[in-house]
Amino acid sequence: MNKFFLTAMPLVLALTTHAQQGKILTAKDYERAESMMAYNTEPLVEHTGIRPTWLTDDRFYYRTPVAQGNQFILFNPAKATKVAAFDHQKLATTLSTATGKQYKATELPFQAISFSADGKGVIFQAEGKQWRFENNQVVTDTSTVKVVALTGGRGRRGGGIGGGNDVLSPDKKKAAYIKDFNLWVRDVPTGKETQLTIDGVKDNGYATDNAGWAASERAILVWSPDSKKIATFQQDERKVNNMYLVPTKVGAPTLKAWKYPFPGDKEIPMLTRVIINVENPKVIKLQVAPDPHRSTLSDDIKGGAGWADVYWSDDATKLVFASTNRDHKQEKVRMADAETGAVREIFEETVLTQFESGWAAVNWRYLSKTNEILWFSERDNWGHLYLYDATTGKLKNQITKGDWVVTGIDKIDEKNRVVYFTAGGLETENPYFTQLCKIGFDGKGFTVLTPGSGNHTTSFSPMGNYIIDTYSKPDVPPVTVLRDMKGKQITELEKNDLSKLSATGWKPVIPFSVKAHDGKTDIYGLMWVPKTIDPNKKYPVIDYIYPGPQGGSVGSWSFATERGDNGALAELGFIVVEIEGTSNPLRSKSFHDMSYGNMADNTLSDQVAGIKQLAAKYPYMDLDKVGIWGHSGGGFAAAAAMFRYPDFFKVGISESGNHENLNYEDNWGERYNGLVNNADYNAQANQNLAKNLKGKLMLAHGLMDNNVPPQNTFLVIEALEKANKDYDLVVFPNSPHGYGAYAPYMMRRRWDYFVKNLMGAEPPYEYQLKGR
């Protein structure tokens, strides 16, 4: 054979291969994309929306980034004065002298900060010690004080003596905790321990938080206002199925087992409600049948004062609670006598699909002073408040009304019979924007307290004289103002400065509205495009999806410089969209129920319809190159998209998906799909559709995922192999649901997969995300 031909052949093959590969992305391209991650964009924003820490006299302080670093501001509403909370430079100087280290005024080493009780000094934690700064001097403070963690300025409550799993009584003198499946109490001043229950055993313990995916060592209970009684439960899981996982290690395997009920199981965790007298220990079982491990809110029973749907009367003689049945169709509001355990029914509500009392928190209350129930219901197709007489169980009146929803109860003024609440749907621009409102118990005096287009978050002063209101839109940065209780603006506190960020070429997300799959229902979403987009070119499309139905793809509709890695993917050369499909909450009841009984719909028909409408408006979107990815429920949806719409979605990444809901915890499926006897779970399982795959699919799962067990993904893998379908797989042997320390690795693999298979380019080899 010709020697020249033999020599030239590798070069020809290399050139041919290069031509087939097309575009090559470099590490510099990935660095540019990573510059769009929140850990790189947020430091460039100055005067961010504040999170205040109130003092008892209605003054408040907050931390705000400025050009030179962090600064703490103290504001006095009564005098309308805003000053530095302390002399930052002098504090840095004196702290440097005290520690022998050099600190800048803008880089103080605070782990936590608060004001002393007398209001004269600043107390903070730094260098593992507690300090007090007063009269421009730093001294070690040996007293026990409350400090506030610097996580955006909000407080973090500790567990008192004995650790973070203790539940302190209202008077802070007692701490309840679980020991050997029984409930104990510790006297905080003396440390004396008292056993309150004696018959708790493994899988039938008191106040335990260990059903399904929810698990912690902290007791679930509610202290009475006088700190003398505890409302809790004994949770019977003795006959409930086990879940098993095995960590990867050298040597003999260690089996991890815990109770994890599935849809259709005969036995699920059941709660026997009890009231415990603490001072002279006595357990009083409520005279009512055990309840399923459910709440009116969700698939977890934590919430409120510790246990969702449970309220004490002010005098601690009565306990009011709501019992939720297994498939969330029936709610019974009940009242128990705290001395005898006798229980009477107040009223009940039954729905055809599933009942929910709210989203972020339970939206009903017991009003002890007047023995009334402030109840939340969607009975008129919208989430509203109703007033019941707790003595007779009769409805007094509907409080709120209209084509909008009460999304949260913020404050109740029982004396003046006024409720302050957050409402969504009052603004025509976007039904997910929320505002603070108030109304009388009689349904009169409805007032919007936070006018202005955007999503509002608020905070009330301790004395009830002021409201701090921060509002923004996905593409409009926050403005924070101070208002009086009538909603009148007193002053503007802070306004985001994006000049540094904008100088990098950063652009805000693009909000949009399209029609749902029915062609008439408005749905909303967000879109990211490259900073230097060429409108004459075509760009591949990536759809990030989280179908709910307990939440949606977008999440918060407030401003953020970045959401996950959407902006980073866009900077790699994609158009990225999030579409809040039908069957998600925070709209009407009928909107939320559009896919009830068929969770496999996964809003996918809305995603397809929405992307097609966007492409008609933005021709640079390439409908021949559409990808999709999601995590958890989004992983379920992403794989389903590849199987149900194989000609539309060409590349999919399915992370930790609950592909077979008979293999996921009981409450979620039975709530939104219905009981097994009433729903076709088999028709919705992804493994039964895997044979339809045409495009490129990557599956990922953590093998120690105690939320969505990895068997879900293994079922899809087995089905793909039976159908002779190729797939890609990423496994994290010792990782939980979110992959922990390996999350950046998964992100990089996600970028590579879309670059190679959707864009048709070659990614840089093993790029290392730098992170924070």
Side-chain angles (χ1 to χ4, degrees):
M1 184 178 288
N2 188 295
K3 290 184 179 181
F4 175 79
F5 181 79
L6 291 173
T7 304
M9 180 62 73
L11 178 60
V12 172
L13 290 174
L15 292 172
T16 303
T17 301
H18 180 76
Q20 290 174 342
Q21 288 178 341
K23 185 178 181 182
I24 297 177
L25 269 63
T26 67
K28 288 292 184 182
D29 295 315
Y30 269 45
E31 286 177 7
R32 187 179 67 254
E34 191 178 4
S35 72
M36 301 304 295
M37 295 297 294
Y39 49 77
N40 288 318
T41 57
E42 288 179 357
L44 299 177
V45 179
E46 298 183 351
H47 299 283
T48 56
I50 70 170
R51 294 180 179 176
T53 298
W54 292 99
L55 302 179
T56 56
D57 60 0
D58 274 3
R59 291 184 301 159
F60 59 89
Y61 67 91
Y62 59 93
R63 182 178 63 169
T64 180
V66 295
Q68 296 77 27
N70 291 319
Q71 185 178 34
F72 289 86
I73 303 296
L74 179 64
F75 193 91
N76 187 332
K79 297 181 179 180
T81 57
K82 181 169 71 171
V83 298
F86 46 83
D87 190 318
H88 292 65
Q89 183 57 57
K90 288 183 178 179
L91 176 54
T93 300
T94 51
L95 183 60
S96 297
T97 301
T99 63
K101 299 180 179 180
Q102 295 300 312
Y103 294 110
K104 296 180 180 179
T106 55
E107 298 177 0
L108 294 167
F110 293 149
Q111 283 90 53
I113 183 171
S114 183
F115 279 75
S116 57
D118 57 18
K120 296 180 180 179
V122 177
I123 299 169
F124 60 94
Q125 289 180 347
E127 300 294 343
K129 296 182 180 180
Q130 192 160 272
W131 308 82
R132 180 185 176 105
F133 182 65
E134 185 174 347
N135 296 325
N136 296 330
Q137 297 293 323
V138 172
V139 295
T140 300
D141 187 16
T142 58
S143 62
T144 301
V145 296
K146 178 181 179 181
V147 292
V148 180
L150 294 182
T151 52
R154 292 196 183 277
R156 180 177 61 193
R157 294 188 300 174
I161 297 174
N165 293 325
D166 289 355
V167 182
L168 287 176
S169 59
D171 63 8
K172 305 295 188 295
K173 295 180 180 180
K174 304 179 185 71
Y177 59 97
I178 299 172
K179 179 180 178 182
D180 297 329
F181 312 109
N182 282 291
L183 199 62
W184 291 63
V185 69
R186 178 185 296 105
D187 183 76
V188 173
T190 66
K192 180 184 177 181
E193 297 178 312
T194 303
Q195 187 170 352
L196 299 177
T197 67
I198 60 173
D199 61 335
V201 294
K202 186 177 186 299
D203 300 326
N204 194 24
Y206 284 88
T208 53
D209 180 22
N210 60 350
W213 64 267
S216 76
E217 298 298 320
R218 187 176 174 85
I220 300 178
L221 55 86
V222 182
W223 279 95
S224 63
D226 60 6
S227 301
K228 295 181 179 180
K229 301 182 182 74
I230 289 174
T232 189
F233 54 84
Q234 187 174 16
Q235 181 169 222
D236 190 354
E237 302 178 280
R238 289 171 291 184
K239 297 181 181 180
V240 174
N241 280 323
N242 286 330
M243 175 59 68
Y244 303 99
L245 294 176
V246 179
T248 301
K249 67 173 186 176
V250 176
T254 303
L255 183 66
K256 303 291 184 182
W258 74 101
K259 296 299 181 179
Y260 193 105
F262 297 102
D265 281 358
K266 181 179 178 182
E267 303 288 345
I268 65 173
M270 300 296 290
L271 311 179
T272 296
R273 298 175 182 267
V274 300
I275 291 174
I276 302 174
N277 289 329
V278 175
E279 295 183 341
N280 296 301
K282 179 183 178 183
V283 178
I284 302 167
K285 289 188 177 181
L286 300 195
Q287 298 171 24
V288 66
D291 282 328
H293 184 277
R294 303 284 188 267
S295 76
T296 64
L297 180 70
S298 68
D299 55 354
D300 198 2
I301 61 174
K302 295 187 293 292
W307 184 12
D309 302 311
V310 177
Y311 300 101
W312 281 99
S313 62
D314 291 343
D315 61 6
T317 63
K318 297 184 288 290
L319 189 74
V320 176
F321 60 96
S323 296
T324 303
N325 76 333
R326 182 163 176 166
D327 59 0
H328 285 265
K329 294 182 187 298
Q330 183 185 62
E331 301 293 343
K332 292 186 176 182
V333 181
R334 294 161 161 165
M335 179 180 288
D337 185 297
E339 294 299 321
T340 67
V343 176
R344 70 176 180 86
E345 304 266 336
I346 301 177
F347 65 89
E348 71 176 63
E349 180 164 348
T350 302
V351 298
L352 294 175
T353 53
Q354 57 90 25
F355 180 91
E356 57 190 345
S357 66
W359 298 281
V362 167
N363 280 338
W364 74 273
R365 302 287 189 275
Y366 172 58
L367 307 176
S368 179
K369 292 178 175 60
T370 54
N371 200 33
E372 294 171 308
I373 304 288
L374 189 67
W375 185 245
F376 178 90
S377 172
E378 295 177 293
R379 65 188 60 170
D380 70 353
N381 195 40
W382 299 90
H384 283 300
L385 300 177
Y386 297 78
L387 189 66
Y388 277 86
D389 186 320
T391 301
T392 65
K394 300 295 184 182
L395 175 65
K396 287 189 168 184
N397 59 271
Q398 182 172 353
I399 298 175
T400 60
K401 190 174 181 62
D403 292 351
W404 47 273
V405 295
V406 174
T407 60
I409 294 177
D410 294 81
K411 177 184 174 70
I412 297 176
D413 183 348
E414 288 190 64
K415 180 180 179 181
N416 295 305
R417 298 183 66 77
V418 173
V419 56
Y420 296 82
F421 61 92
T422 303
L426 292 170
E427 296 188 28
T428 57
E429 178 181 350
N430 187 319
Y432 298 102
F433 287 166
T434 60
Q435 294 172 287
L436 180 68
C437 307
K438 72 173 182 178
I439 196 170
F441 287 6
D442 58 2
K444 299 178 181 179
F446 172 76
T447 306
V448 175
L449 297 174
T450 55
S453 181
N455 201 45
H456 293 255
T457 58
T458 56
S459 174
F460 291 90
S461 69
M463 298 175 68
N465 296 319
Y466 303 101
I467 301 167
I468 292 178
D469 171 26
T470 298
Y471 59 98
S472 65
K473 300 179 184 180
D475 57 335
V476 179
V479 175
T480 302
V481 301
L482 181 70
R483 302 183 186 276
D484 63 21
M485 293 302 289
K486 294 182 179 180
K488 180 182 178 181
Q489 180 173 326
I490 297 173
T491 187
E492 182 179 294
L493 295 170
E494 295 289 344
K495 187 174 184 178
N496 269 40
D497 181 355
L498 301 182
S499 55
K500 281 188 175 181
L501 182 61
S502 298
T504 68
W506 174 92
K507 295 178 181 179
V509 69
I510 302 171
F512 62 81
S513 174
V514 292
K515 296 296 181 182
H517 67 277
D518 60 6
K520 58 183 180 180
T521 304
D522 290 326
I523 55 176
Y524 298 78
L526 302 174
M527 183 171 74
W528 289 257
V529 301
K531 287 189 291 187
T532 56
I533 187 170
D534 184 345
N536 297 314
K537 291 184 178 181
K538 289 282 189 178
Y539 293 83
V541 179
I542 295 176
D543 183 10
Y544 166 74
I545 185 171
Y546 187 81
Q550 80 283 4
S553 298
V554 174
S556 171
W557 289 86
S558 294
F559 176 82
T561 61
E562 182 53 276
R563 296 166 184 260
D565 63 343
N566 292 335
L569 283 169
E571 199 55 26
L572 287 174
F574 299 98
I575 306 299
V576 182
V577 298
E578 290 180 346
I579 297 176
E580 197 83 348
T582 56
S583 306
N584 284 333
L586 301 173
R587 302 275 292 272
S588 67
K589 174 69 171 169
S590 56
F591 183 92
H592 196 187
D593 284 346
M594 286 180 76
S595 295
Y596 176 82
N598 181 25
M599 283 196 295
D601 177 82
N602 276 314
T603 79
L604 293 176
S605 54
D606 297 322
Q607 307 295 319
V608 173
I611 291 172
K612 288 181 176 179
Q613 291 169 64
L614 287 172
K617 182 177 181 180
Y618 303 104
Y620 49 70
M621 296 176 67
D622 191 346
L623 286 184
D624 292 326
K625 295 181 179 180
V626 180
I628 188 169
W629 83 274
H631 186 93
S632 192
F636 172 34
M642 298 298 293
F643 303 153
R644 294 175 182 273
Y645 296 88
D647 295 319
F648 185 80
F649 293 104
K650 305 300 172 53
V651 180
I653 300 176
S654 170
E655 301 179 10
S656 304
N658 50 305
H659 303 285
E660 166 61 89
N661 283 301
L662 290 177
N663 261 26
Y664 187 47
E665 62 107 3
D666 64 323
N667 185 67
W668 193 70
E670 292 182 344
R671 177 182 180 183
Y672 294 110
N673 228 25
L675 299 178
V676 171
N677 292 336
N678 301 327
D680 191 350
Y681 281 74
N682 189 58
Q684 301 172 37
N686 273 345
Q687 72 269 16
N688 297 327
L689 303 168
K691 61 182 180 293
N692 298 331
L693 178 66
K694 293 183 179 179
K696 297 287 292 184
L697 175 62
M698 174 188 279
L699 299 163
H701 220 115
L703 298 190
M704 294 304 293
D705 189 337
N706 62 352
N707 184 333
V708 178
Q711 293 93 322
N712 280 268
T713 290
F714 295 158
L715 285 169
V716 175
I717 289 173
E718 183 179 45
L720 289 168
E721 291 170 349
K722 285 181 179 178
N724 195 34
K725 297 291 184 178
D726 289 345
Y727 64 92
D728 293 285
L729 177 65
V730 178
V731 169
F732 299 93
N734 292 303
S735 294
H737 192 53
Y739 312 145
Y742 296 99
Y745 175 83
M746 184 66 233
M747 185 183 300
R748 194 268 295 173
R749 292 294 302 271
R750 184 162 62 241
W751 294 8
D752 290 354
Y753 203 72
F754 282 131
V755 165
K756 191 166 188 173
N757 297 294
L758 192 62
M759 182 183 290
E762 190 66 24
Y765 182 68
E766 294 183 353
Y767 177 81
Q768 179 70 54
L769 285 166
K770 298 174 180 60
R772 292 185 181 276

